[in-house]
């Protein structure tokens, strides 16, 4: 029995996805850093400045990766790009959890616990994604002639 690699989406669909992702990354990068940017969010504290460089790096990495994929997206390159961007995002999430630049005024809901839990879940899922991207990259490397 011969096992074939799973079919890829058509190039037009992949490029559309890369374009949408790049536009979202660029838009978020602008929204976070332009005036008033993150300062307009009442639940973010001045400690946000301590996590902003990694958040920006994560958005820039996604923007660059998706722009590159628009031009050239062999599976191994996509796996490498996905692994790199996922590891940067994981680092940013860990920094967000460590610094926790949030303050909530509503005493009726423990928003800090809710947000902390969501960040921990995001870290766990992102770590799983990193392992998946690494395994996929290693599989592609093993298949290359």
């Amino acid at each position: 029995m011969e096992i074939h690699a799973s079919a890829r989406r058509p190039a037009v669909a992949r490029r559309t996805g890369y374009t949408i992702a790049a536009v979202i990354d660029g838009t978020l990068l602008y929204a976070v850093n332009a005036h008033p940017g993150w300062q307009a969010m009442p639940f973010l504290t001045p400690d946000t400045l301590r996590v902003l460089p990694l958040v920006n790096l994560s958005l820039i990495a996604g923007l660059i990766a998706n722009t590159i994929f628009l031009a050239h997206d062999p599976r191994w390159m996509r796996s490498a790009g996905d692994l790199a961007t996922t590891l940067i995002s994981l680092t940013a999430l860990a920094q967000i959890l460590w610094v926790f630049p949030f303050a909530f005024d509503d005493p009726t809901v423990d928003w800090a616990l809710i947000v902390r839990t969501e960040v921990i879940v995001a870290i766990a899922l992102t770590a799983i994604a990193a392992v998946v991207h690494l395994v996929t990259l290693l599989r592609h490397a093993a298949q290359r002639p």
Side-chain angles (χ1 to χ4, degrees):
M1 179 169 104
E2 189 175 335
I3 299 175
H4 296 281
S6 62
R8 288 183 91 181
R9 292 181 302 156
V12 171
R14 292 193 318 269
R15 286 191 181 101
T16 300
Y18 301 147
T19 301
I20 291 169
V23 167
I24 290 171
D25 285 333
T27 302
L28 287 172
L29 194 58
Y30 176 79
V32 166
N33 292 286
H35 185 73
W38 66 267
Q39 296 97 333
M41 305 305 287
F43 54 86
L44 292 177
T45 70
D47 279 341
T48 300
L49 289 172
R50 293 175 53 201
V51 301
L52 200 54
L54 281 173
V55 171
N56 284 338
L57 180 61
S58 178
L59 293 169
I60 291 167
L63 179 62
I64 290 170
N66 283 297
T67 302
I68 291 170
F69 298 154
L70 275 169
H72 191 59
D73 72 338
R75 290 180 177 186
W76 71 267
M77 184 185 290
R78 175 66 197 265
S79 296
D82 288 345
L83 177 60
T85 57
T86 301
L87 290 173
I88 293 168
S89 296
L90 183 60
T91 305
L93 286 166
Q95 181 75 4
I96 289 168
L97 183 62
W98 180 262
V99 172
F100 203 72
F102 306 101
F104 304 99
D105 295 332
D106 184 359
T108 61
V109 178
D110 192 353
W111 286 109
L113 176 64
I114 292 168
V115 171
R116 232 179 253 287
T117 302
E118 288 176 352
V119 173
I120 290 168
V121 169
I123 288 171
L125 293 174
T126 305
I128 292 168
V131 171
V132 169
H133 293 314
L134 176 61
V135 169
T136 303
L137 179 60
L138 293 174
R139 284 184 47 218
H140 290 306
Q143 293 172 354
R144 290 182 61 110

